[in-house]
Amino acid sequence: MNLWKVAFLLLLALLITTTVIFVFWISSPSEKTIIPEPQAASEGHVLTVKTTKEDFEGIANSYIRDAVKGQPLPVTLSVENQILLSTELTIFSIKLPVIMKFDPVVEPDGNLKLVQTGVEVGKLEIPPETVLKLLKDSVALPDWMIVRPEEEDVYIDLSRIPMQSNVEVRAKEFNLEQDEIILEILVPNK
């Protein structure tokens, strides 16, 4: 048999095998992600802060940048009428822009749950659960950003964000339509 035919068949087999493994990996169910128990609220004084979408966006991206410590920013958070997480996924050396759309839900413990409402992956039609699984497996996010593909949400554990002077942050209200975000800053008693 001709050497070129053998090389072609080996290359074809390699490509088919790689594609099958990738499709299997991307479509396999993800492990159940467990949210850590909320930390007990400290005793202290509560400062209520009302902020805008623009200010919240800047603060959130600063904390994400601090958490990844000099590495390229894995996701960019933007706030419009929804919260958008933008990133790039590299698949077979092709960079695909990914924009995930979320509605914020304030949890009773003051943490934030971002419920996915839509996703854009270039021009591809990919299920939201699959995109979140890819995000969880391939992007190094801070520990306080918990991606849960099976629930199609991202849990932001505000109580675990490292803050100076041991202050804690809790979400009180997230009304993006009226550009009203209310946070509580708990300053602990010394």
Side-chain angles (χ1 to χ4, degrees), residues 53 57 78-84 101-104 117 174-180:
K53 295 186 274 191
E57 178 180 314
S78 42
V79 183
E80 296 171 7
N81 284 339
Q82 291 184 309
I83 293 182
L84 307 176
K101 300 175 183 178
F102 298 91
D103 282 336
T117 59
F174 252 79
N175 189 338
L176 298 180
E177 291 177 6
Q178 294 181 3
D179 195 15
E180 190 172 284

PDB file of all heavy atoms in Angstrom, residues 53 57 78-84 101-104 117 174-180:
ATOM      1  N   LYS A  53     -25.293  49.775  38.229  1.00  0.00           N
ATOM      2  CA  LYS A  53     -24.798  48.640  37.437  1.00  0.00           C
ATOM      3  C   LYS A  53     -23.339  48.859  37.040  1.00  0.00           C
ATOM      4  O   LYS A  53     -22.528  47.948  37.135  1.00  0.00           O
ATOM      5  CB  LYS A  53     -25.656  48.452  36.176  1.00  0.00           C
ATOM      6  CG  LYS A  53     -27.073  48.056  36.440  1.00  0.00           C
ATOM      7  CD  LYS A  53     -27.828  47.735  35.175  1.00  0.00           C
ATOM      8  CE  LYS A  53     -28.422  48.951  34.559  1.00  0.00           C
ATOM      9  NZ  LYS A  53     -29.378  48.669  33.482  1.00  0.00           N
ATOM     10  N   GLU A  57     -20.278  46.494  38.229  1.00  0.00           N
ATOM     11  CA  GLU A  57     -19.480  45.826  37.196  1.00  0.00           C
ATOM     12  C   GLU A  57     -17.992  46.057  37.430  1.00  0.00           C
ATOM     13  O   GLU A  57     -17.188  45.123  37.378  1.00  0.00           O
ATOM     14  CB  GLU A  57     -19.902  46.368  35.826  1.00  0.00           C
ATOM     15  CG  GLU A  57     -19.154  45.817  34.656  1.00  0.00           C
ATOM     16  CD  GLU A  57     -19.649  46.431  33.354  1.00  0.00           C
ATOM     17  OE1 GLU A  57     -20.872  46.527  33.150  1.00  0.00           O
ATOM     18  OE2 GLU A  57     -18.783  46.798  32.531  1.00  0.00           O
ATOM     19  N   SER A  78     -20.227  41.858  32.817  1.00  0.00           N
ATOM     20  CA  SER A  78     -20.833  43.136  32.472  1.00  0.00           C
ATOM     21  C   SER A  78     -22.289  43.105  32.897  1.00  0.00           C
ATOM     22  O   SER A  78     -22.922  42.059  32.913  1.00  0.00           O
ATOM     23  CB  SER A  78     -20.673  43.465  30.990  1.00  0.00           C
ATOM     24  OG  SER A  78     -20.897  42.360  30.180  1.00  0.00           O
ATOM     25  N   VAL A  79     -22.785  44.268  33.268  1.00  0.00           N
ATOM     26  CA  VAL A  79     -24.137  44.369  33.793  1.00  0.00           C
ATOM     27  C   VAL A  79     -24.936  45.288  32.888  1.00  0.00           C
ATOM     28  O   VAL A  79     -24.579  46.463  32.708  1.00  0.00           O
ATOM     29  CB  VAL A  79     -24.136  44.900  35.242  1.00  0.00           C
ATOM     30  CG1 VAL A  79     -25.543  44.922  35.800  1.00  0.00           C
ATOM     31  CG2 VAL A  79     -23.233  44.069  36.126  1.00  0.00           C
ATOM     32  N   GLU A  80     -25.979  44.733  32.321  1.00  0.00           N
ATOM     33  CA  GLU A  80     -26.924  45.512  31.513  1.00  0.00           C
ATOM     34  C   GLU A  80     -28.296  45.266  32.134  1.00  0.00           C
ATOM     35  O   GLU A  80     -28.440  45.477  33.325  1.00  0.00           O
ATOM     36  CB  GLU A  80     -26.840  45.065  30.058  1.00  0.00           C
ATOM     37  CG  GLU A  80     -25.461  45.360  29.449  1.00  0.00           C
ATOM     38  CD  GLU A  80     -25.245  44.745  28.090  1.00  0.00           C
ATOM     39  OE1 GLU A  80     -26.201  44.182  27.515  1.00  0.00           O
ATOM     40  OE2 GLU A  80     -24.118  44.829  27.593  1.00  0.00           O
ATOM     41  N   ASN A  81     -29.272  44.820  31.357  1.00  0.00           N
ATOM     42  CA  ASN A  81     -30.548  44.404  31.949  1.00  0.00           C
ATOM     43  C   ASN A  81     -30.455  42.973  32.448  1.00  0.00           C
ATOM     44  O   ASN A  81     -31.397  42.451  33.019  1.00  0.00           O
ATOM     45  CB  ASN A  81     -31.698  44.565  30.965  1.00  0.00           C
ATOM     46  CG  ASN A  81     -32.095  46.024  30.829  1.00  0.00           C
ATOM     47  OD1 ASN A  81     -31.818  46.837  31.698  1.00  0.00           O
ATOM     48  ND2 ASN A  81     -32.727  46.360  29.729  1.00  0.00           N
ATOM     49  N   GLN A  82     -29.350  42.334  32.170  1.00  0.00           N
ATOM     50  CA  GLN A  82     -28.986  41.024  32.691  1.00  0.00           C
ATOM     51  C   GLN A  82     -27.505  41.088  33.022  1.00  0.00           C
ATOM     52  O   GLN A  82     -26.809  42.020  32.629  1.00  0.00           O
ATOM     53  CB  GLN A  82     -29.226  39.919  31.657  1.00  0.00           C
ATOM     54  CG  GLN A  82     -30.671  39.652  31.351  1.00  0.00           C
ATOM     55  CD  GLN A  82     -30.809  38.483  30.391  1.00  0.00           C
ATOM     56  OE1 GLN A  82     -30.171  38.440  29.356  1.00  0.00           O
ATOM     57  NE2 GLN A  82     -31.648  37.531  30.763  1.00  0.00           N
ATOM     58  N   ILE A  83     -27.029  40.072  33.721  1.00  0.00           N
ATOM     59  CA  ILE A  83     -25.592  39.978  33.964  1.00  0.00           C
ATOM     60  C   ILE A  83     -25.008  39.112  32.863  1.00  0.00           C
ATOM     61  O   ILE A  83     -25.513  38.024  32.580  1.00  0.00           O
ATOM     62  CB  ILE A  83     -25.303  39.398  35.357  1.00  0.00           C
ATOM     63  CG1 ILE A  83     -25.767  40.395  36.412  1.00  0.00           C
ATOM     64  CG2 ILE A  83     -23.824  39.079  35.515  1.00  0.00           C
ATOM     65  CD1 ILE A  83     -25.504  39.992  37.830  1.00  0.00           C
ATOM     66  N   LEU A  84     -23.964  39.598  32.227  1.00  0.00           N
ATOM     67  CA  LEU A  84     -23.314  38.878  31.137  1.00  0.00           C
ATOM     68  C   LEU A  84     -21.918  38.463  31.568  1.00  0.00           C
ATOM     69  O   LEU A  84     -21.157  39.269  32.104  1.00  0.00           O
ATOM     70  CB  LEU A  84     -23.213  39.763  29.885  1.00  0.00           C
ATOM     71  CG  LEU A  84     -24.498  40.412  29.383  1.00  0.00           C
ATOM     72  CD1 LEU A  84     -24.205  41.330  28.216  1.00  0.00           C
ATOM     73  CD2 LEU A  84     -25.513  39.366  28.983  1.00  0.00           C
ATOM     74  N   LYS A 101     -25.751  34.741  29.452  1.00  0.00           N
ATOM     75  CA  LYS A 101     -26.674  35.724  30.019  1.00  0.00           C
ATOM     76  C   LYS A 101     -27.333  35.133  31.262  1.00  0.00           C
ATOM     77  O   LYS A 101     -27.765  33.984  31.246  1.00  0.00           O
ATOM     78  CB  LYS A 101     -27.740  36.096  28.998  1.00  0.00           C
ATOM     79  CG  LYS A 101     -27.150  36.699  27.743  1.00  0.00           C
ATOM     80  CD  LYS A 101     -28.207  36.938  26.695  1.00  0.00           C
ATOM     81  CE  LYS A 101     -27.550  37.475  25.437  1.00  0.00           C
ATOM     82  NZ  LYS A 101     -28.513  37.683  24.375  1.00  0.00           N
ATOM     83  N   PHE A 102     -27.405  35.957  32.317  1.00  0.00           N
ATOM     84  CA  PHE A 102     -27.931  35.487  33.600  1.00  0.00           C
ATOM     85  C   PHE A 102     -28.887  36.514  34.204  1.00  0.00           C
ATOM     86  O   PHE A 102     -28.701  37.718  34.023  1.00  0.00           O
ATOM     87  CB  PHE A 102     -26.788  35.260  34.599  1.00  0.00           C
ATOM     88  CG  PHE A 102     -25.799  34.227  34.198  1.00  0.00           C
ATOM     89  CD1 PHE A 102     -24.666  34.565  33.475  1.00  0.00           C
ATOM     90  CD2 PHE A 102     -25.987  32.896  34.540  1.00  0.00           C
ATOM     91  CE1 PHE A 102     -23.735  33.607  33.106  1.00  0.00           C
ATOM     92  CE2 PHE A 102     -25.062  31.932  34.178  1.00  0.00           C
ATOM     93  CZ  PHE A 102     -23.933  32.287  33.457  1.00  0.00           C
ATOM     94  N   ASP A 103     -29.855  35.998  34.948  1.00  0.00           N
ATOM     95  CA  ASP A 103     -30.690  36.827  35.802  1.00  0.00           C
ATOM     96  C   ASP A 103     -30.195  36.636  37.230  1.00  0.00           C
ATOM     97  O   ASP A 103     -30.055  35.507  37.692  1.00  0.00           O
ATOM     98  CB  ASP A 103     -32.161  36.416  35.715  1.00  0.00           C
ATOM     99  CG  ASP A 103     -32.831  36.933  34.453  1.00  0.00           C
ATOM    100  OD1 ASP A 103     -32.352  37.939  33.884  1.00  0.00           O
ATOM    101  OD2 ASP A 103     -33.844  36.342  34.038  1.00  0.00           O
ATOM    102  N   PRO A 104     -29.928  37.738  37.967  1.00  0.00           N
ATOM    103  CA  PRO A 104     -29.450  37.600  39.346  1.00  0.00           C
ATOM    104  C   PRO A 104     -30.603  37.313  40.310  1.00  0.00           C
ATOM    105  O   PRO A 104     -31.677  37.887  40.190  1.00  0.00           O
ATOM    106  CB  PRO A 104     -28.817  38.962  39.638  1.00  0.00           C
ATOM    107  CG  PRO A 104     -29.549  39.904  38.740  1.00  0.00           C
ATOM    108  CD  PRO A 104     -29.932  39.126  37.515  1.00  0.00           C
ATOM    109  N   THR A 117     -30.034  32.423  31.413  1.00  0.00           N
ATOM    110  CA  THR A 117     -31.206  32.617  30.559  1.00  0.00           C
ATOM    111  C   THR A 117     -30.873  32.472  29.078  1.00  0.00           C
ATOM    112  O   THR A 117     -31.778  32.333  28.267  1.00  0.00           O
ATOM    113  CB  THR A 117     -31.820  34.011  30.790  1.00  0.00           C
ATOM    114  OG1 THR A 117     -30.830  35.004  30.504  1.00  0.00           O
ATOM    115  CG2 THR A 117     -32.329  34.145  32.209  1.00  0.00           C
ATOM    116  N   PHE A 174     -31.213  43.262  43.972  1.00  0.00           N
ATOM    117  CA  PHE A 174     -30.630  43.387  42.637  1.00  0.00           C
ATOM    118  C   PHE A 174     -31.753  43.700  41.662  1.00  0.00           C
ATOM    119  O   PHE A 174     -32.414  42.809  41.156  1.00  0.00           O
ATOM    120  CB  PHE A 174     -29.953  42.071  42.225  1.00  0.00           C
ATOM    121  CG  PHE A 174     -28.470  42.146  42.219  1.00  0.00           C
ATOM    122  CD1 PHE A 174     -27.758  42.056  43.389  1.00  0.00           C
ATOM    123  CD2 PHE A 174     -27.781  42.320  41.035  1.00  0.00           C
ATOM    124  CE1 PHE A 174     -26.388  42.130  43.404  1.00  0.00           C
ATOM    125  CE2 PHE A 174     -26.407  42.392  41.029  1.00  0.00           C
ATOM    126  CZ  PHE A 174     -25.702  42.294  42.208  1.00  0.00           C
ATOM    127  N   ASN A 175     -32.002  44.965  41.390  1.00  0.00           N
ATOM    128  CA  ASN A 175     -33.033  45.369  40.450  1.00  0.00           C
ATOM    129  C   ASN A 175     -32.329  46.053  39.284  1.00  0.00           C
ATOM    130  O   ASN A 175     -32.078  47.263  39.317  1.00  0.00           O
ATOM    131  CB  ASN A 175     -34.046  46.302  41.123  1.00  0.00           C
ATOM    132  CG  ASN A 175     -35.240  46.567  40.232  1.00  0.00           C
ATOM    133  OD1 ASN A 175     -35.180  46.414  39.022  1.00  0.00           O
ATOM    134  ND2 ASN A 175     -36.335  46.973  40.854  1.00  0.00           N
ATOM    135  N   LEU A 176     -32.007  45.281  38.261  1.00  0.00           N
ATOM    136  CA  LEU A 176     -31.225  45.807  37.149  1.00  0.00           C
ATOM    137  C   LEU A 176     -32.046  46.730  36.257  1.00  0.00           C
ATOM    138  O   LEU A 176     -31.500  47.644  35.647  1.00  0.00           O
ATOM    139  CB  LEU A 176     -30.640  44.651  36.333  1.00  0.00           C
ATOM    140  CG  LEU A 176     -29.668  43.755  37.108  1.00  0.00           C
ATOM    141  CD1 LEU A 176     -29.153  42.638  36.217  1.00  0.00           C
ATOM    142  CD2 LEU A 176     -28.522  44.546  37.687  1.00  0.00           C
ATOM    143  N   GLU A 177     -33.339  46.507  36.171  1.00  0.00           N
ATOM    144  CA  GLU A 177     -34.180  47.363  35.332  1.00  0.00           C
ATOM    145  C   GLU A 177     -34.208  48.800  35.852  1.00  0.00           C
ATOM    146  O   GLU A 177     -34.267  49.742  35.077  1.00  0.00           O
ATOM    147  CB  GLU A 177     -35.592  46.800  35.245  1.00  0.00           C
ATOM    148  CG  GLU A 177     -35.671  45.515  34.451  1.00  0.00           C
ATOM    149  CD  GLU A 177     -37.071  44.929  34.426  1.00  0.00           C
ATOM    150  OE1 GLU A 177     -38.012  45.575  34.934  1.00  0.00           O
ATOM    151  OE2 GLU A 177     -37.206  43.821  33.877  1.00  0.00           O
ATOM    152  N   GLN A 178     -34.177  48.968  37.175  1.00  0.00           N
ATOM    153  CA  GLN A 178     -34.188  50.306  37.764  1.00  0.00           C
ATOM    154  C   GLN A 178     -32.786  50.772  38.152  1.00  0.00           C
ATOM    155  O   GLN A 178     -32.651  51.803  38.817  1.00  0.00           O
ATOM    156  CB  GLN A 178     -35.114  50.325  38.979  1.00  0.00           C
ATOM    157  CG  GLN A 178     -36.559  50.096  38.609  1.00  0.00           C
ATOM    158  CD  GLN A 178     -37.478  50.133  39.830  1.00  0.00           C
ATOM    159  OE1 GLN A 178     -37.044  50.380  40.944  1.00  0.00           O
ATOM    160  NE2 GLN A 178     -38.747  49.890  39.604  1.00  0.00           N
ATOM    161  N   ASP A 179     -31.758  50.006  37.748  1.00  0.00           N
ATOM    162  CA  ASP A 179     -30.367  50.343  38.042  1.00  0.00           C
ATOM    163  C   ASP A 179     -30.160  50.552  39.538  1.00  0.00           C
ATOM    164  O   ASP A 179     -29.552  51.525  39.974  1.00  0.00           O
ATOM    165  CB  ASP A 179     -29.938  51.578  37.243  1.00  0.00           C
ATOM    166  CG  ASP A 179     -28.419  51.749  37.217  1.00  0.00           C
ATOM    167  OD1 ASP A 179     -27.705  50.780  37.553  1.00  0.00           O
ATOM    168  OD2 ASP A 179     -27.947  52.843  36.857  1.00  0.00           O
ATOM    169  N   GLU A 180     -30.698  49.621  40.333  1.00  0.00           N
ATOM    170  CA  GLU A 180     -30.609  49.718  41.781  1.00  0.00           C
ATOM    171  C   GLU A 180     -30.066  48.417  42.357  1.00  0.00           C
ATOM    172  O   GLU A 180     -30.723  47.383  42.312  1.00  0.00           O
ATOM    173  CB  GLU A 180     -31.993  50.006  42.360  1.00  0.00           C
ATOM    174  CG  GLU A 180     -31.972  50.368  43.811  1.00  0.00           C
ATOM    175  CD  GLU A 180     -33.332  50.834  44.274  1.00  0.00           C
ATOM    176  OE1 GLU A 180     -33.703  51.986  43.960  1.00  0.00           O
ATOM    177  OE2 GLU A 180     -34.011  50.026  44.920  1.00  0.00           O
TER     178      GLU A 180
END
